[in-house]
Amino acid sequence: MLYLSTRGHPERKRFCEILLEGLAPDGGLYLPEAYPQVDGETLARWRRVLADEGYAALAFEVLSLYIDDIPADDLRALCRKTYTAEVFGTKEIVPLKRLEEGVYLEALSNGPTLAFKDMAMQLLGNLFEYELGRRGEQLNILGATSGDTGSAAEYAMRGKQGVRVFMLSPHGRMSPFQQAQMFSLQDANIHNIAVEGVFDDCQDIVKAVSNDLAFKRQYKIGTVNSINWARLLAQVVYYFAGYFQATTSNDQTVSFCVPSGNFGNVCAGHVARQMGLPIDRLIVATNENDVLDEFFRTGTYRVRGSADTYETSSPSMDISKASNFERFVFDLLGRDAGRTRALFGEQLAREGRFDLGSEPVFAEASARYGFVSGKSTHADRLMTIKDTWERFGTMIDTHTADGVKVARERRRAGEVVVVLETALPIKFADTIREALDREPDRPARFVGIEDLPKRVQVMAPDVAAVQRYIADHCRD
Ligand SMILES: *Cc1c(COP(=O)(O)O)cnc(C)c1O
C-alpha cells in the first residue's frame, strides 16, 4: 500500500513514513493510492470477527489492509493493547444504543478523556511508541488546544517511550473540568503550558516554532493534528463496528450522522463507504459554524474569518475551515490532483472560497458519495438534549445533540441512522444545566479531579520563551 498527496507530488510513501508526518511536502494531504475493496465474503467474516473476537480483532483486519510495513503479529498486538475494556469502559468498546425508531447512538466517548478523539489518539500513542522505538528516535509533540484534542493527545502519549508532549492552552479559558483533566497528569513526558492569551495566540506560537526549521529539526518537533492519516484510518474501524451492530445481514444498509468540524470523522465514513461497507448516506451535522452545510447545500466552500467564526455551545465544532475536506474534494474531482491544488493551494489562499455548485460533479457529492447535511443551533441543542433526556432517559452532550437533531430532520422513512456520539455531557456541564436544570452524570473515575494537584507552567505569549522551555525540557 502506497500513499499519495492530494496535490500531486510525485513521491509515494508507505504507512510508517507518513505516520509521524503532517502535510505532504506540497501542502496536500495523504491518501492511499486506492481504497482496498471489501467483498461480501470478507464482510461476512468481519461480522463474525467482531462478534467472536471483539473490536481489537476487527481493528486489526481493517488496519492490515492499509499498513504493510509493520509485521502482522506486531500490529495485532498494538490493536489488542489499545482497544481494551479497561481503557474504553465496555467489552464492546463502541456499544450501540437505540433511541427512537430508526435512530441509534454509537458510543465513541468512553475513553480516557470522554470524547471520540480517544478512539484514534490511543492507537496513535501506541503506533508512535512502536515506530520511534524501532527507529531509535525521539519526537516532541507540540500542539495548541482549547480542550478536546490536547487532552486526548496527552492521555494517549503519557508515559510513552521516546515521546514528549508540549501542549499550549489559553490560560484560564478552558472549563475547570478540562483544566483538571490535563493539568492533573503527573507524567514526566507531559508538559502543560498555559499561555497568557487566547487560543489564537497559542496557535500562532505553534506555527512560529514549526516554521523555525533549524529549531524544528534540532528538537524533533512534530504534531498530532486531525489531518494525520493514521488518526483517520483508526476511525474507519468504528463505522464497520457500528454497521455490524445495527444490522443482522450484509444486504441491509445504514446511514451515519456525524457531528462535524474538521471533517476528519465523517471523512473516515467516506473511506469506509468507498471500501464497500453498505453505507446508504453520510449525514454531516454542523453547528452555527456551517462551512460544511453550506458546501453540501450549494457547492460553495467559503472559509470564514475569525470575526465570522462563532463561539458556540458545541465548541469542538467551531471551525473556520475544515482541514480534512480536501481529501473528499480530491475524490469528488475524480482524483484530479492538479485541480485540487488549484482550488486548495491557490484559489482558497487568494479568494477564501471556491464554488463547484454549477459543475456536474457537484451533484455526485450526494448521488454518488451519499453526502447530505444539516445545521443545528444553540436553541436546537437545548431542545434536543431535553427531549432525549425526557423521552429516553439518555443524557447526550451538545455535539451529539447537533447530530441527533440533524438525523431526525433528514431521516427518510425506513432508514436506519446511526448518530456518532462524540463526547459525554460532563465535559459541557453549563449547557446541560441550561437544558435540564440538573448536573450531568459524572463517571466515577472523574469524581473530585478538580481538587487534584496541577502540573502547569504559565507563560507569556512569547515564542522565544516557549522555545527555551522546550529546549530545557528535552534533556530529561
Ligand atoms: C473534534 C470533535 C468533533 C469534530 O470532529 P471532526 O473530525 O473535526 O469533524 C465533534 N465533536 C467533538 C466532541 C469533538 O471533540
Side-chain angles (χ1 to χ4, degrees):
M1 169 64 71
L2 291 173
Y3 291 87
L4 49 68
S5 162
T6 51
R7 298 193 188 173
H9 194 281
E11 205 177 342
R12 296 288 180 271
K13 292 188 173 172
R14 300 180 76 186
F15 177 81
C16 288
E17 295 176 277
I18 65 170
L19 171 63
L20 304 171
E21 285 184 30
L23 295 173
D26 57 358
L29 304 185
Y30 288 112
L31 275 178
E33 278 189 316
Y35 298 113
Q37 295 301 299
V38 177
D39 59 16
E41 206 176 301
T42 308
L43 259 189
R45 187 168 61 79
W46 285 6
R47 182 184 286 280
R48 287 195 302 274
V49 166
L50 179 65
D52 299 345
E53 300 167 55
Y55 189 89
L58 177 67
F60 168 74
E61 295 289 337
V62 177
L63 296 177
S64 60
L65 297 181
Y66 290 90
I67 304 174
D68 54 14
D69 49 354
I70 295 177
D73 286 346
D74 291 357
L75 186 59
R76 192 179 284 113
L78 288 167
C79 291
R80 280 205 190 123
K81 180 175 164 188
T82 302
Y83 297 110
T84 64
E86 195 189 5
V87 173
F88 288 96
T90 62
K91 182 168 72 55
E92 292 80 13
I93 309 296
V94 291
L96 204 67
K97 176 174 191 161
R98 184 175 182 275
L99 287 182
E100 67 243 40
E101 172 72 32
V103 180
Y104 295 81
L105 281 181
E106 184 174 1
L108 303 179
S109 17
N110 296 300
T113 73
L114 308 182
F116 85 100
K117 293 195 171 65
D118 290 328
M119 292 300 303
M121 210 69 95
Q122 286 288 316
L123 180 72
L124 203 67
N126 286 325
L127 284 169
F128 273 27
E129 184 176 53
Y130 175 85
E131 181 59 17
L132 289 166
R134 202 158 69 156
R135 295 187 195 179
E137 286 178 11
Q138 305 222 332
L139 187 71
N140 293 305
I141 294 167
L142 175 65
T145 190
S146 52
D148 286 348
T149 308
S151 59
E154 291 189 352
Y155 279 77
M157 303 298 167
R158 63 186 296 200
K160 293 279 187 286
Q161 296 292 321
V163 190
R164 291 184 199 86
V165 177
F166 295 89
M167 193 56 67
L168 276 49
S169 60
H171 182 46
R173 285 173 193 263
M174 290 191 299
S175 74
F177 184 84
Q178 286 177 317
Q179 293 187 42
Q181 261 191 323
M182 288 177 57
F183 301 166
S184 64
L185 289 179
Q186 299 298 325
D187 307 75
N189 71 328
I190 302 297
H191 300 276
N192 288 301
I193 301 176
V195 174
E196 292 170 317
V198 294
F199 175 66
D200 283 341
D201 297 315
C202 300
Q203 216 162 20
D204 289 345
I205 295 171
V206 170
K207 275 190 201 142
V209 174
S210 303
N211 288 337
D212 181 344
L213 295 183
F215 185 88
K216 190 177 173 193
R217 204 170 312 115
Q218 183 179 357
Y219 291 102
K220 313 252 181 273
I221 303 292
T223 59
V224 288
N225 48 28
S226 83
I227 53 143
N228 181 290
W229 167 254
R231 273 182 68 180
L232 204 136
L233 178 58
Q235 295 174 343
V236 172
V237 179
Y238 54 68
Y239 284 87
F240 282 88
Y243 172 80
F244 292 137
Q245 291 181 88
T247 57
T248 49
S249 99
N250 296 335
D251 48 23
Q252 295 165 286
T253 62
V254 164
S255 297
F256 286 89
C257 184
V258 187
S260 293
N262 276 316
F263 205 76
N265 201 356
V266 75
C267 193
H270 165 68
V271 171
R273 195 174 183 277
Q274 291 307 106
M275 291 170 72
L277 183 66
I279 295 176
D280 180 6
R281 303 193 297 166
L282 290 164
I283 307 170
V284 176
T286 74
N287 66 16
E288 291 88 337
N289 296 292
D290 57 355
V291 186
L292 291 166
D293 182 43
E294 179 173 64
F295 175 80
F296 287 108
R297 275 186 300 105
T298 67
T300 297
Y301 181 63
R302 183 171 57 88
V303 166
R304 312 290 202 254
S306 44
D308 306 317
T309 306
Y310 310 111
E311 269 186 47
T312 76
S313 47
S314 44
S316 298
M317 293 155 64
D318 292 349
I319 49 113
S320 53
K321 63 178 179 51
S323 49
N324 276 290
F325 188 53
E326 181 170 338
R327 287 192 160 109
F328 169 66
V329 172
F330 177 70
D331 283 345
L332 183 65
L333 296 171
R335 300 205 139 200
D336 181 339
R339 189 81 206 284
T340 306
R341 188 178 56 241
L343 291 180
F344 284 89
E346 290 152 30
Q347 192 173 342
L348 218 50
R350 212 171 44 234
E351 298 165 26
R353 61 191 291 160
F354 60 74
D355 183 8
L356 301 178
S358 57
E359 300 190 26
V361 80
F362 174 63
E364 293 191 352
S366 89
R368 176 158 173 216
Y369 294 99
F371 275 96
V372 279
S373 68
K375 168 180 173 174
S376 164
T377 64
H378 182 69
D380 294 325
R381 223 163 278 140
L382 294 179
M383 218 157 60
T384 308
I385 291 169
K386 190 163 190 292
D387 171 75
T388 306
W389 174 248
E390 286 175 352
R391 282 202 293 148
F392 309 110
T394 298
M395 201 185 281
I396 55 175
D397 98 291
T398 52
H399 306 76
T400 308
D402 291 335
V404 170
K405 187 265 182 181
V406 171
R408 286 178 176 155
E409 193 172 77
R410 288 281 173 267
R411 182 176 170 268
R412 302 190 284 218
E415 188 177 21
V416 172
V417 182
V418 174
V419 180
L420 300 186
E421 173 219 68
T422 56
L424 290 197
I426 180 68
K427 298 194 85 169
F428 307 96
D430 287 350
T431 310
I432 299 298
R433 269 180 231 118
E434 191 182 344
L436 302 179
D437 200 23
R438 60 177 288 157
E439 290 298 314
D441 307 330
R442 179 180 286 233
R445 66 184 193 275
F446 292 98
V447 173
I449 62 163
E450 288 91 341
D451 304 325
L452 294 175
K454 294 191 169 54
R455 202 165 155 268
V456 56
Q457 178 72 41
V458 179
M459 292 179 73
D462 174 0
V463 176
V466 170
Q467 288 184 317
R468 254 191 326 273
Y469 184 88
I470 293 172
D472 286 346
H473 292 83
C474 276
R475 287 184 250 285
D476 39 74

